[in-house]
Amino acid sequence: MMDAGRHPNIEVLTNSELVRFEGKPGNFTATVRRHPRYVDENLCTGCGQCVHDCPVIVPNEFEVGMGARKAIYSPFPQAVPNTYIIDRENCLNDDFLVCNNCMNSCDRNAVNYDDLGAELRLAVGAVVVATGFDVYNASAIPSYGYGLYDNVLSNIELERVLNASGPTRGHIVRPSDKKVPKKIAFIQCVGSRGEGKEAGCQYCSRYCCMNAVKDCLLVKQHEPDIEELVFFYIDMRAAGRGFEEFYQRSLEMPELTYVRGRPSKILEDAVTKDLMVYVEDVETGQVSRIKVDMAVLSTGAVAGETNNRLAEVLGISLDENKFFEVDPKYGSPLHTSREGVYVCGCAAGINDISDSVSQASGAAAEAEKFVTKSPPAQEVEPAPEMDTSGPPRVGVFLCHCGINIAGVLDVESLKEYAQGIPDVAFVEENLFLCSDEGQRLMQEKIAEHRLNRVVAAACTPRTHEPVFRESCQQIGLNPYLFEMVNVRDQCSWVHTGVPEIATAKARDMIRSGVAKARHLQPLYRKSIPVNQSALVVGGGVGGMAAALELEAQGMKVYLIEQQGRLGGRLINLTRVYPANLSAFELARVMVEKIKASRVEVMTGTEINAISGFVGNFDVATTNGNFKVGTIVLATGADIYKPGDEFSYDRFENVITNQELEDILHDTKGKIDIHGQTPENVVFIQCVGSRSSDTNPGCSRYCCPTTIKQAIRLRESGVNVAVLHRDMRTVGAKAEEHYRHARELGVKFIRFTPERLPRVIGNGKAAERIEVKELALDRILDIPADYVVLAAGMVPNKATTDKLQDILKVPRAADGFFMERHAKLGPVETTTEGVFLAGCVSGPKDIADSLAQGAAAAAKAAAIISHDTVALEPTTCVVRPELCRACGECVGMCDYHAPGLVDKGDGVQVAEINQALCKGCGTCASWCPTGAIVALHFTDEQINSMLDTLLLDRV
Amino acid sequence: MAKQPGKAGAVLVLGGGITGIQAALDLAASDVKVYLVERSPSLGGRMAQLDKTFPTMDCAI
Amino acid sequence: MATRTRPAKKKSAKKKFIPNIVVFACNWCSYAGADNAGVNRIQHSPHFRVIRTMCSGRVTPAFVLKALKLGADAVLVSGCHFGDCHYIFGNYKAVEQFEKTKGLVKTLGLDLKRIRLEWVSAAEGGRWANLINEFVQQITELGPSPLNPKPTYE
């Protein structure tokens, strides 16, 4: 979030909306209306004095009404931009009174009641719609009493309650009496998977199951005395990377009870405000009343209320649920009905965070095709670097930050104190050091007093160090000779009531900052050349999508496929849900496009070795060697091959869903298997998934696939039963298809892993299946001409082993490649320049694989669209004279930056590849001889801080 | 990469939540100018409201 | 090397001991968590001094020992929660380092309560404040380190 606020290529327009849109892809004109904020973003420093002085208190929407804010406010503490805003509906100045408190309190004159906003006309080549979703308003279901009963909360309200900076500071108390609840009910599918009229949407909102499981764990963490959590649900939809394992962990929590059933109503005891939940447990058939202290409703996600208007302005269509409609002909979830306008995340339907992030990167890749890229404006040529080799002359700059620092700390005494610290040549104070005047003053004084080290005692380096460093650089002082002391966030703001102790602490902090500064050394950013081409490994959907996107951006692409043809698994499928596209057609179109493009396709080719690092990989294949700057891994996954499960190895009429797909592939109209039309077909779900023996995770694709196949069979008159553990129909339109299957008469019967269905046959073939019907506690006997096993996805062991060995990309416990971040970096790896697309990082459906292909292309393009890549200089380096080549550093670094190199005469020494090093400094602490130096955090620097903090105590 | 005449030099991203920010950052990283338009007064969207995300329990901000 | 234990200096009857605690905080989570406490104005004990490192894995046993030998009453090393590390597994390395530190602190003859390894995320300002308060309280009760040449009193 911070990064977006600071990036020179991104102009953030908050409090703004699109009002007009016209033109053609590549040349649109967008008119954006910026609503008035009444506070100037360029002047406001976020000091908070105006908020303090504002007399109006209103409920805070960020805390979903549970907290309070003023009429002038910042939406939440980490808001970007960190500029206050006046809510004119509640501001006194709008009424007959004239308050003017905020205007009078602002030192910077940032408050302007006459702000009228502005209308901006922007020339853009493409649009990405990422407007997200709205939360279902649970008060539409009167039987749950949301909004009527004090102790019925929504899941979003609970999130805020759980947050340490939320309205209750992270304490869970029930609203009616502020007591810690002993027993809490979690109710799923509120507004989702609706049956009745008032019940909200029909689809599955997807995020709520795992969100609620997470909340259960957090509630227990926050309030260890909680006695019982009762979790009411229909199906547990833990369908994502690591989700099933997370759910399994929750099953070990003794306080958490799962009850399968949707409560019919909640009633409140008017006196005690306790709640009674009425529910029929569908597993036992028992109807019960459960008394709880508090209930949390998992409210579903609905289309944004502004979607209608936005669709009209953009000239794109909405689907029946008012989400932006995805053009089905691409198979990918990114295209809207208008070329040049792309959609991602929950604006087009419900997606979880990691899929949304993949789609966002994918949409970026699509949009890039319609714009002219311009290199970022070159910064002004910096002044020649000044000589800093002499003895340290430290300048200390003390920031008041309005009253944020100076209101608590005695800045005058600090100034006097700092003047007495050894090597301090100059001390100055300023009202707002980060302001333009403050920065200019700092620059002048550096030059005037020939300062060669600078310490700023101000706010946090995490936000402001880049600002100060840039000012130093501008006047020729190496930016790494600057040190920041955080006397605001970590001193004046948190020790407000004890100004003298806080000032003493600030003295220590400044002294240790100066101590470090005296030992700072100039460091220099290096840049290495980039080979502007990409390697895509794997010719399935993910790989083909990545290759096509990169090629469309004008990049040189090598596409390697182990098999003799492109198309991967897609070519063997019949129809792709939800749009019922022909899979073969989709694959054929992509293969044709690749063949017609400049992508260099190498089928029947294997990789022998890859060496190098981001921007410079050397690739050796069975078909020749070449260099690339970036690599996309899209080698897919394998379908689990059952062994003796459900007598698969014994009976030839027990087949996998893949085998059924092959049969359906060749079948038009009536189902015909080996010359016969089957009467009864039974599906068994989760074969090779959700099991510690095979893949502990959910394979995600199989439930929707089964539904698709079941509908196809049922429409031909076959009796179909599906035996499952939870129906996880989480993809686009999958829940609707599930409903349709039930309406057609497909039977769904649940089983538990403790009591698996039994396939009974006559020695040669399966004849029937016995399964325990949980609700009625009896054994069902179902005839079966065919038994179809929904086989899960497993990692392709040979390929992943080999690629892991070659590229050192880590794999997770489930054997799939590990993403850089499960949520925020789904297509990145920890190896810079190496990306993932599709099932190589866990099971995905076709739409998700296509989105990931585009996403990986966007990431790869960001590297190879530049001819150099800049390296941060705060890395680790080896002092060869101290290294005894023990190899400790080589084994411990997860980025494989250190390596042993031969220095001739058989002498080895460790060397750290600066392109791979991330600068964490862990190897420096690991090195037994102290040969490794963590630049900018050296032993010398840290030791000098310790020395002064502990020896020079006053 | 060669300049493509006749095409605008920027992309409009609507929505300042996690997806909008991600799309904007990816575009910006490829030297594309981005206008990131958000209806509310701050970036952040829904995710900023969450306390932690599963399964890694990272903070959501 | 001081391997013997000295009894804590006789406390003044009236004056309360104020511990001197050194905190190593990783840049991405714990330092940010401390900032978050600030942004939310969550008040907590001031009796600690922070040294920022990029990763908790950077904190060698030598830093902790040096702090203790120079008279720090306690040392806290704070990093990201597991799975949350900016450098993937740096905090696991911090655990390994901390195990070594423990052994060395034991040979110094110091109470192991004087060193702690904790995880605080960037959003956990409240947790940071609670942790600091609780640790300061614990060390106050424990009294000055026997290696502290001039303990601070109120």
Side-chain angles (χ1 to χ4, degrees), chain A residues 460 486 493 508 925 939 953, chain C residues 20 35 43 57-58 97 150:
Chain A
T460 175
N486 189 350
W493 273 355
D508 284 356
S925 77
D939 285 4
R953 277 187 280 161
Chain C
N20 197 0
D35 280 352
Q43 304 296 309
R58 170 72 184 102
Q97 294 285 41
K150 47 166 187 179

Side-chain angles (χ1 to χ4, degrees), chain C residues 8 11 17 19 73 114 137-146 151 153:
Chain C
K11 276 186 233 168
F17 163 62
D73 296 305
R114 295 192 186 277
Q137 174 69 26
Q138 187 190 9
I139 300 305
T140 308
E141 282 163 15
L142 198 60
S145 160
Y153 292 93

Side-chain angles (χ1 to χ4, degrees), chain A residues 162-411:
Chain A
L162 285 168
N163 194 293
S165 56
T168 59
R169 295 260 175 266
H171 284 291
I172 299 158
V173 290
R174 53 181 218 160
S176 68
D177 53 11
K178 309 285 178 252
K179 282 194 187 135
V180 178
K182 293 268 176 246
K183 191 166 173 179
I184 306 178
F186 283 83
I187 298 170
Q188 297 306 108
C189 301
V190 177
S192 308
R193 303 183 67 186
E195 309 274 353
K197 246 188 293 167
E198 86 278 358
C201 49
Q202 297 204 335
Y203 53 80
C204 164
S205 291
R206 226 171 139 171
Y207 84 97
C208 357
C209 275
M210 294 319 288
N211 190 69
V213 172
K214 175 201 73 171
D215 284 346
C216 285
L217 293 174
L218 284 177
V219 163
K220 177 66 190 161
Q221 236 174 51
H222 283 236
E223 306 294 344
D225 297 336
I226 291 270
E227 283 163 12
E228 198 178 354
L229 303 166
V230 197
F231 194 110
F232 301 96
Y233 72 116
I234 307 174
D235 293 281
M236 177 51 65
R237 296 209 158 148
R241 187 79 188 274
F243 293 7
E244 175 68 21
E245 293 89 327
F246 192 73
Y247 164 52
Q248 292 298 334
R249 275 214 303 281
S250 79
L251 292 173
E252 289 159 15
M253 213 172 120
E255 296 84 1
L256 179 54
T257 315
Y258 282 102
V259 176
R260 222 184 258 270
R262 192 203 286 258
S264 57
K265 64 180 170 187
I266 300 176
L267 291 180
E268 184 192 56
D269 181 323
V271 179
T272 61
K273 303 283 177 188
D274 293 342
L275 303 167
M276 195 66 86
V277 181
Y278 291 76
V279 67
E280 180 190 344
D281 184 328
V282 296
E283 274 177 9
T284 60
Q286 228 166 33
V287 180
S288 50
R289 297 184 313 166
I290 297 171
K291 193 175 145 246
V292 297
D293 301 319
M294 192 166 114
V296 178
L297 308 182
S298 275
T299 48
V302 295
E305 55 167 1
T306 54
N307 284 10
N308 266 330
R309 261 204 55 209
L310 191 55
E312 208 173 291
V313 172
L314 283 169
I316 59 178
S317 44
L318 296 176
D319 67 13
E320 70 277 15
N321 295 316
K322 304 285 178 212
F323 289 105
F324 295 101
E325 190 168 54
V326 172
D327 187 335
K329 73 168 174 277
Y330 299 95
S332 124
L334 308 171
H335 298 255
T336 67
S337 55
R338 181 169 184 171
E339 200 187 7
V341 181
Y342 300 94
V343 65
C344 57
C346 296
I350 304 308
N351 288 290
D352 68 32
I353 297 173
S354 69
D355 290 330
S356 296
V357 169
S358 294
Q359 289 174 13
S361 300
E366 299 289 350
E368 275 172 42
K369 290 187 264 187
F370 291 98
V371 289
T372 309
K373 297 181 182 184
S374 49
Q378 276 298 307
E379 287 155 31
V380 205
E381 193 66 24
E385 184 153 314
M386 50 171 101
D387 177 21
T388 54
S389 56
R393 291 179 56 78
V394 185
V396 178
F397 293 86
L398 305 167
C399 179
H400 288 212
C401 195
I403 60 158
N404 279 286
I405 294 170
V408 177
L409 307 181
D410 180 353
V411 178

Side-chain angles (χ1 to χ4, degrees), chain C residues 116-137:
Chain C
R116 260 168 81 167
L117 178 65
E118 294 282 350
W119 316 128
V120 176
S121 84
E124 293 178 328
R127 180 177 154 75
W128 172 264
N130 289 342
L131 170 65
I132 293 291
N133 284 340
E134 189 232 317
F135 196 34
V136 168
Q137 174 69 26

Side-chain angles (χ1 to χ4, degrees), chain A residues 26-27 125 159 214 361 821 859, chain B residues 6-8 10 26 51-52 58:
Chain A
N27 277 301
E159 287 288 338
K214 175 201 73 171
S361 300
H821 190 286
K859 300 285 179 190
Chain B
K7 286 186 186 174
D26 284 326
D51 180 41
K52 300 232 166 40
D58 304 355

Side-chain angles (χ1 to χ4, degrees), chain B:
Chain B
M1 191 185 150
K3 288 232 173 194
Q4 291 157 301
K7 286 186 186 174
V11 170
L12 178 68
V13 176
L14 300 172
I18 174 74
T19 44
I21 291 175
Q22 184 64 53
L25 286 173
D26 284 326
L27 286 160
S30 280
D31 296 338
V32 175
K33 164 91 186 166
V34 180
Y35 299 104
L36 179 56
V37 173
E38 164 61 37
R39 212 156 48 89
S40 79
S42 167
L43 300 184
R46 288 270 161 230
M47 196 155 157
Q49 267 185 328
L50 301 184
D51 180 41
K52 300 232 166 40
T53 64
F54 62 88
T56 55
M57 291 299 200
D58 304 355
C59 67
I61 284 199

